Amino acid sequence: MKKKPIILGIESSCDETAASVVQENDQGIPTILSNIVSSQINVHKEFGGVVPELAARSHVEKIDLITKKAIDESGIKLEDLNAVAATAGPGLIVCLSVGLSFGKAVASSLKKPFIAVNHLEGHALSPKLNSKLNYPYLLLLISGGHTQFLSVQGLGKYKRLGTTIDDAIGEAFDKTAKLLGIEFPGGPKIEEFAKKGDSKKYELPKPIMHKGGCNLSFAGLKTAVLKIATKIKTDQEKYDLAASFQKTVEEILYKKSKIAFKEFKNINTKKNNVFVVAGGVAANKKIRKILIKLCEEENFKAVFPPINLCGDNAAMIAMVGLEKFKLKQFNNLDYPAKPRWALDESAKFLKGAGVKL
Ligand code: KG4
Ligand code: ZN
């Protein structure tokens, strides 16, 4: 029997240095052989956010060791690889350049094809790792840098239905956390604080809740949190603000997802009511719960990648690489790092708003 393709994936777009080996199994499902992620949380936490130069330096220090570990753990030999895939964007250019150059060097030294991958495509297709999922499906991508609804029609075929007009949802979580004195990245801690608080204590705004289709906005919410946070004195008040913030975000996502369901059904005649929620913020259990409830009400199937595949990782990059490999979609070694790279190129500008995203 013909050997199933094996792909090495490399990811360094932000503050995670990651490498992974993925192989297609006999049922045609991409299967993870190894998945190594080295987080830089300790490098950035005292700065309250990712410092690009420090992140890039840390990628340079670790990328070879992480890749060696991924190869060793997978049980394959370097020569067994069919291709090398690396994230080419979007992300921090100094960080992208590290993984991209390294990936190109490995591919070229092995004389194997090189494949440039869009990080967002990795998140978008991540639920296809280790499981079967048919196109089209509706995707809500919620991460530190992105918040968007996309109709995923197939590999490389995306239609954006809505996006944030200002901050990303993960950014709102992290900034709220910072105001409450929580170290970066504070999203998971906000979820913990919220469990101990009263979600009705503070009335927070839900910007563009009743307009803009399924576009979203979090800047006004962040400002409102800032105003309250400056007056807060006790730990209980911190918990209450975290709980009020968490509840507000849940209500925004519930309402906007409901609109996105309608828009998804309008553009897809082929019925496949599947709602995939991916990206770092999809690890939030209460957000999962409210979106599962919505799916039950609206007759959609809810799909969440496993928690360890929600955040940045290289398995999702290797998996996109595998899909592209099967279609012989290879790239030249002069492929550039792209700090901005929309999945739906036709939707770069928000209709009517003149806002570049
Ligand atoms: O996808 P990701 O790892 O990196 C980007 O591509 O941005 O997402 C990171 C974001 C951070 O903002 C982090 O605070 C947030 O995901 N996050 C969470 C949770 N876990 C991670 N936000 C809310 N609740 C969580 N449990
Ligand atoms: Zn990401």
Side-chain angles (χ1 to χ4, degrees), residues 11 13-14 16 90 119-120 123 141-146 279-280 310-313 316:
E11 156 66 35
S13 62
C14 190
E16 257 97 24
H119 176 88
L120 300 178
H123 280 304
L141 177 58
I142 39 179
S143 73
H146 301 274
C310 281
D312 288 350
N313 65 84
M316 65 185 193

Side-chain angles (χ1 to χ4, degrees), residues 290-311:
I290 189 108
L291 294 177
I292 288 170
K293 178 175 169 279
L294 174 67
C295 283
E296 284 164 2
E297 289 164 7
E298 299 289 321
N299 206 15
F300 264 71
K301 183 179 171 218
V303 175
F304 295 88
I307 301 267
N308 69 324
L309 297 176
C310 281

Side-chain angles (χ1 to χ4, degrees), residues 38-109:
S38 168
S39 167
Q40 302 177 358
I41 286 179
N42 288 334
V43 178
H44 305 289
K45 67 179 179 192
E46 64 176 295
F47 303 101
V50 177
V51 183
E53 281 71 24
L54 294 182
R57 190 190 301 173
S58 183
H59 287 310
V60 170
E61 282 165 6
K62 298 224 181 90
I63 194 98
D64 46 358
L65 298 173
I66 296 296
T67 305
K68 182 173 183 317
K69 205 164 170 204
I71 296 290
D72 290 348
E73 276 195 17
S74 72
I76 64 145
K77 293 195 270 327
L78 265 177
E79 311 80 82
D80 297 334
L81 289 172
N82 292 85
V84 179
T87 304
L92 299 165
I93 187 126
V94 282
C95 294
L96 288 166
S97 305
V98 178
L100 187 62
S101 306
F102 186 79
K104 287 173 181 174
V106 176
S108 131
S109 66

Side-chain angles (χ1 to χ4, degrees), residues 35-291:
N35 184 22
I36 313 293
V37 182
S38 168
S39 167
Q40 302 177 358
I41 286 179
N42 288 334
V43 178
H44 305 289
K45 67 179 179 192
E46 64 176 295
F47 303 101
V50 177
V51 183
E53 281 71 24
L54 294 182
R57 190 190 301 173
S58 183
H59 287 310
V60 170
E61 282 165 6
K62 298 224 181 90
I63 194 98
D64 46 358
L65 298 173
I66 296 296
T67 305
K68 182 173 183 317
K69 205 164 170 204
I71 296 290
D72 290 348
E73 276 195 17
S74 72
I76 64 145
K77 293 195 270 327
L78 265 177
E79 311 80 82
D80 297 334
L81 289 172
N82 292 85
V84 179
T87 304
L92 299 165
I93 187 126
V94 282
C95 294
L96 288 166
S97 305
V98 178
L100 187 62
S101 306
F102 186 79
K104 287 173 181 174
V106 176
S108 131
S109 66
L110 294 172
K111 299 192 171 48
K112 298 284 162 83
F114 170 72
I115 300 166
V117 174
N118 182 317
H119 176 88
L120 300 178
E121 188 154 37
H123 280 304
L125 303 191
S126 58
K128 287 172 83 73
L129 272 164
N130 295 346
S131 60
K132 193 158 172 48
L133 180 63
N134 292 328
Y135 299 116
Y137 55 84
L138 175 65
L139 170 76
L140 169 60
L141 177 58
I142 39 179
S143 73
H146 301 274
T147 308
Q148 46 187 306
F149 289 102
L150 291 152
S151 176
V152 181
Q153 315 293 127
L155 180 74
K157 294 190 193 117
Y158 302 90
K159 173 124 192 52
R160 193 174 78 193
L161 305 178
T163 185
T164 176
I165 59 166
D166 40 56
D167 295 346
I169 185 168
E171 218 178 320
F173 264 97
D174 294 339
K175 286 188 178 154
T176 299
K178 196 174 170 192
L179 291 168
L180 296 182
I182 301 168
E183 281 178 344
F184 173 83
K189 222 29 194 300
I190 289 286
E191 192 181 0
E192 291 307 309
F193 271 33
K195 285 183 195 155
K196 297 184 265 184
D198 172 7
S199 63
K200 295 195 192 73
K201 176 78 184 282
Y202 301 105
E203 182 74 34
L204 296 171
K206 300 180 196 114
I208 67 163
M209 187 74 155
H210 302 290
K211 55 181 180 186
C214 55
N215 285 323
L216 308 106
S217 165
F218 295 99
L221 173 58
K222 191 181 67 189
T223 311
V225 168
L226 170 69
K227 279 194 189 141
I228 297 168
T230 50
K231 294 186 204 125
I232 271 180
K233 292 191 181 67
T234 66
D235 280 348
Q236 189 54 50
E237 284 172 321
K238 285 188 183 179
Y239 303 148
D240 293 342
L241 183 54
S244 304
F245 172 84
Q246 166 84 38
K247 180 94 192 128
T248 305
V249 166
E250 285 169 27
E251 286 170 4
I252 294 171
L253 291 180
Y254 178 90
K255 173 83 194 291
K256 293 292 181 172
S257 300
K258 197 168 173 171
I259 299 170
F261 283 13
K262 224 182 240 161
E263 296 197 5
F264 175 77
K265 286 204 261 188
N266 283 344
I267 64 164
N268 288 297
T269 43
K270 197 172 150 200
K271 289 278 160 283
N272 190 35
N273 287 352
V274 175
F275 184 43
V276 172
V277 188
V281 182
N284 187 293
K285 293 198 189 65
K286 286 201 71 199
I287 289 179
R288 286 182 174 225
K289 206 167 151 201
I290 189 108
L291 294 177

